[in-house]
Amino acid sequence: MQEFSSQTRPDGVAIVTFERPERLNPLGPEGLRDLALHLEALASDPAVGAVVLTGRGKAFCSGASLERLLGLMGSEEAAGLPEHVIRNLFDTAVNPIQRAIARMPKPVVTAINGVAAGGGVGLALAGDVVLAAETASFQLTFVPNLAIVPDLGASWFFSRLAGRGRALAAMMTGEAISAREALEWGLVWRVEPQEKLLDAAIKLGLRLAAGPRHMYPLLRGAVDEASRRTLSEQLDLERDLNVELCGSAQFSEGVRAFLEKRRPRFQ
C-alpha cells in the first residue's frame, strides 16, 4: 500500500505527496517510519534544493491511521494499546518525522491542499513556510474524539503560532479552522487559490533554495530560542551567530551584490 510518493524535479524541488485520498491520506506505522527515513534521505541528497509536502485529493493528511492502530490492539475489545507498543511507535515512527524536518538543511514548504486533521496538523505546521488552499482546514480531533494529547508536533506548533487560548479551544472542541481563520491566527503564511497552490509552493521552494541554504537550520534555531530567552539572552545569541556568519564567503557575496545592485549568487 503506497501511502506517499516522492518526485524530485529537474530544478531540485522534491515533492512528497500523501497518496491515500479515499481515507483522507492517513499514515500507518510503516508509512510513518518510511516517511521519516525518506525525509532523512532527502536531507542528504545533493540533487534536492527544497522540499514540498502536500496531499492528494480533498485532504492534506489525517495523521496516523486509526484502522492500523486498531490492528495493533489485537482485538476490538482490548483496553487500548500496550505501553511498549505505543512507546515504540512514537520513538521509531511518529517523532522521527518531526525531528527529520527540524534537522532538514533545506527549506521545507507545506502546501495544505485540503483537510489537515489529527497529526496531519502537526505535519502541516512543520513547514518553514506554510501555504494553504482556500479549501484547506485544520482540525485537532485528538481530545474530543480519542481522549489523547495532540501529537506529531501539533501541540507544540499550534500553541506557539496561535497562542494558548486559541490552542486550548481548538484542541478541546476539535472544531475545524478554515484557511482564512488560520491566516488570521498566524498558522499559515498565505492562502492561495486551490488550482494555484502547488505551483506557488514550487516557486517558493525554488526561491528559498537559491538563497543561503546553510542559514536555514541556524535561523530555525534562533527563532525557536526566542520564546525561551530574555531579550538580553537573544541579543547575545544573535551576536554569536553573526560573529561566525559574517566571516563567511556567503556574507561577502551578499555585501558585493548589494553594492553592485544585483541578486546575490550564494554557493
Side-chain angles (χ1 to χ4, degrees), residues 25-249:
N25 297 327
L27 291 166
E30 296 83 5
L32 290 165
R33 293 186 181 95
D34 289 346
L35 178 58
L37 291 172
H38 186 66
L39 290 170
E40 291 177 356
L42 292 178
S44 60
D45 186 346
V48 174
V51 178
V52 172
L53 288 178
T54 193
R56 184 84 61 198
K58 296 180 180 180
F60 171 73
C61 179
S62 56
S65 170
L66 297 183
E67 186 179 40
R68 304 295 297 280
L69 290 180
L70 182 62
L72 292 176
M73 291 182 188
S75 72
E76 294 189 10
E77 294 77 25
L81 285 167
E83 180 182 339
H84 73 281
V85 171
I86 193 66
R87 187 177 295 277
N88 181 67
L89 181 63
F90 272 93
D91 289 345
T92 65
V94 176
N95 291 342
I97 293 174
Q98 285 292 5
R99 291 189 172 113
I101 294 174
R103 292 193 296 262
M104 180 70 68
K106 299 148 188 184
V108 178
V109 178
T110 49
I112 317 308
N113 56 296
V115 177
V121 175
L123 286 176
L125 301 182
D128 295 315
V129 184
V130 184
L131 302 180
E134 293 171 334
T135 54
S137 63
F138 301 80
Q139 193 166 9
L140 292 160
T141 53
F142 300 90
V143 174
N145 291 4
L146 299 172
I148 62 172
V149 171
D151 58 25
L152 256 173
S155 67
W156 195 87
F157 287 108
F158 203 102
S159 58
R160 281 172 169 254
L161 295 170
R164 184 177 186 273
R166 282 173 169 162
L168 284 174
M171 293 173 190
M172 289 178 174
T173 65
E175 290 186 8
I177 297 143
S178 70
R180 290 295 170 185
E181 286 176 313
L183 181 63
E184 178 187 338
W185 290 12
L187 298 173
V188 308
W189 189 50
R190 282 183 181 165
V191 174
E192 301 281 352
Q194 180 75 38
E195 67 276 9
K196 296 182 179 179
L197 176 68
L198 186 56
D199 283 345
I202 291 169
K203 288 178 182 176
L204 181 58
L206 287 171
R207 175 183 172 185
L208 297 176
R213 280 187 235 167
H214 70 292
M215 274 293 309
Y216 297 136
L218 296 175
L219 178 62
R220 289 190 200 112
V223 170
D224 291 341
E225 283 294 325
S227 64
R228 295 189 284 264
R229 291 172 177 249
T230 65
L231 173 59
S232 181
E233 289 170 338
Q234 189 70 6
L235 291 172
D236 287 343
L237 176 63
E238 292 171 354
R239 176 204 62 206
D240 293 344
L241 289 173
N242 282 331
V243 163
E244 176 183 352
L245 293 168
C246 286
S248 71

